[in-house]
Amino acid sequence: MRKTPISNSENYNTLKKGEATLTNEELETRVKVLYNVEDFPVLLQWKSMISGDYALGIEPSLTRFDDFKMRTLAPGEKRQYKIKYAFGG
């Protein structure tokens, strides 16, 4: 098990409107996040680089943390959102 993050030269990240792809060629793995930009106009990235630990989060969002805007639903109203994750090598 790797104890430290691998160098940036081994990780490739791409971003398109409505899609984010993270690739690690050393581990021969890839994850793609697909979402509707009308539903999720913001894509957030967060990471933890605590010693001995490395985590990366990519999440479509309704709003940025510094500009929070709440969406509300009327009583009985429903709304459905879809996010697709694709994993591969």
Side-chain angles (χ1 to χ4, degrees):
M1 180 178 285
R2 182 177 291 279
K3 296 292 183 187
T4 59
I6 59 177
S7 72
N8 286 337
S9 64
E10 297 167 354
N11 288 306
Y12 298 93
N13 306 322
T14 59
L15 178 63
K16 294 185 208 173
K17 201 163 189 129
E19 177 182 315
T21 304
L22 303 166
T23 304
N24 183 313
E25 288 187 354
E26 182 178 309
L27 298 177
E28 298 179 0
T29 189
R30 176 178 309 156
V31 63
K32 183 181 287 190
V33 181
L34 300 144
Y35 58 97
N36 183 328
V37 294
E38 291 179 21
D39 292 337
F40 301 104
V42 177
L43 184 70
L44 300 175
Q45 173 192 326
W46 57 266
K47 59 185 170 180
S48 171
M49 296 182 69
I50 297 170
S51 180
D53 184 28
Y54 185 77
L56 173 67
I58 300 289
E59 57 184 298
S61 178
L62 302 173
T63 187
R64 296 183 338 208
F65 291 124
D66 61 350
D67 185 27
F68 187 76
K69 294 177 186 158
M70 193 183 266
R71 288 188 183 175
T72 59
L73 296 175
E77 183 181 3
K78 296 178 183 179
R79 191 171 291 161
Q80 184 174 355
Y81 299 101
K82 293 183 182 181
I83 301 173
K84 181 180 179 180
Y85 295 90
F87 299 88

